[in-house]
Amino acid sequence: KRQKALASLLKICDALEKYNNISSLCAIRAGLCSAPIHRLRKTWDAIPKKAKETKAKIDELFKLGNGQKNLRDRVAIISQPAIPHLGIFLGDIVFIHDGNDTYKKEDYEDENGNVSQIEKINWVKMKLLADRINWISMFQQSPFIFTSVPIIHQYLESKMKILPEDFLYKLSREVEPPEKKKTMTK
């Protein structure tokens, strides 16, 4: 039953990737990578080959390091409609804001030859911020064309429950107890 649930979630991940819904793909991947799920070695080993390939593909997409190059490359060529990973956008905004002064000091010489410094707006920073805001705004221009199915919404909402992480971890240990560590004897 656990293998079937994981395989179903990975099938959803595959569909999300095809529909360019990178944000939801990231959310499901985060759940699959949570400690209670990630530690289920026997369950992961038993999922079908196609599900394993999907997992490897999304792990590669969200691989950290090198500025999340794989994810950035994917989002750079994404076609509309799409929902990008908001974390990249927010990270870029913080990086631009923290890494660049809002004002630049420049020397100013008045008609008497006196030199003083004045503050001017750092237009390079403002252009970088505007570019990122325009980029995220672009995704609001092309909506997805899906029909809402109320019965499906009701079903999903009735099944969704927020469970504490410690409860999930205990449950995970019950269904797949940790392996005993082998001790060396003399």
Side-chain angles (χ1 to χ4, degrees):
K1 196 171 181 177
R2 292 187 308 276
Q3 296 92 335
K4 191 174 179 181
L6 280 179
S8 294
L9 284 169
L10 289 165
K11 215 178 219 183
I12 291 169
C13 286
D14 205 33
L16 290 170
E17 204 273 332
K18 285 180 178 121
Y19 280 112
N20 296 324
N21 188 340
I22 309 301
S23 182
S24 295
L25 177 61
C26 181
I28 292 177
R29 181 184 177 271
L32 294 174
C33 291
S34 67
I37 306 300
H38 182 74
R39 66 169 296 282
L40 299 172
R41 284 287 123 227
K42 292 175 189 168
T43 304
W44 283 107
D45 289 345
I47 64 173
K49 182 181 177 192
K50 183 160 176 34
K52 288 178 183 175
E53 289 169 357
T54 299
K55 175 76 166 75
K57 186 170 75 171
I58 63 172
D59 284 347
E60 186 66 23
L61 178 65
F62 289 100
K63 187 164 66 172
L64 297 175
N66 203 14
Q68 290 187 301
K69 183 180 178 345
N70 297 343
L71 184 56
R72 287 181 181 282
D73 289 349
R74 173 69 173 90
V75 171
I77 60 166
I78 205 165
S79 60
Q80 300 277 340
I83 303 174
H85 178 47
L86 198 56
I88 284 181
F89 168 73
L90 295 175
D92 288 351
I93 293 293
V94 168
F95 186 77
I96 293 166
H97 178 70
D98 289 350
N100 297 280
D101 292 329
T102 302
Y103 298 97
K104 287 182 145 184
K105 292 186 180 194
E106 290 187 11
D107 289 338
Y108 170 76
E109 186 175 339
D110 65 17
E111 63 274 354
N112 298 328
N114 299 323
V115 177
S116 60
Q117 285 196 329
I118 60 169
E119 284 189 334
K120 289 189 173 181
I121 294 173
N122 182 353
W123 290 110
V124 172
K125 174 182 180 174
M126 299 307 149
K127 170 87 169 83
L128 289 169
L129 287 171
D131 287 346
R132 295 317 289 161
I133 292 167
N134 283 338
W135 176 79
I136 200 71
S137 297
M138 171 186 70
F139 293 101
Q140 296 174 334
Q141 306 308 312
S142 300
F144 284 97
I145 310 297
F146 291 122
T147 305
S148 179
V149 183
I151 196 160
I152 293 174
H153 281 270
Q154 292 166 359
Y155 173 78
L156 291 173
E157 287 176 9
S158 74
K159 298 297 179 189
M160 296 292 169
K161 294 180 177 103
I162 297 174
L163 300 171
E165 184 82 13
D166 60 334
F167 170 78
L168 294 172
Y169 194 77
K170 286 176 188 171
L171 185 61
S172 173
R173 289 174 62 93
E174 284 178 23
V175 296
E176 277 189 34
E179 293 180 15
K180 303 276 186 209
K181 290 186 178 180
K182 296 176 183 174
T183 57
M184 295 180 65
T185 57
K186 289 186 178 182

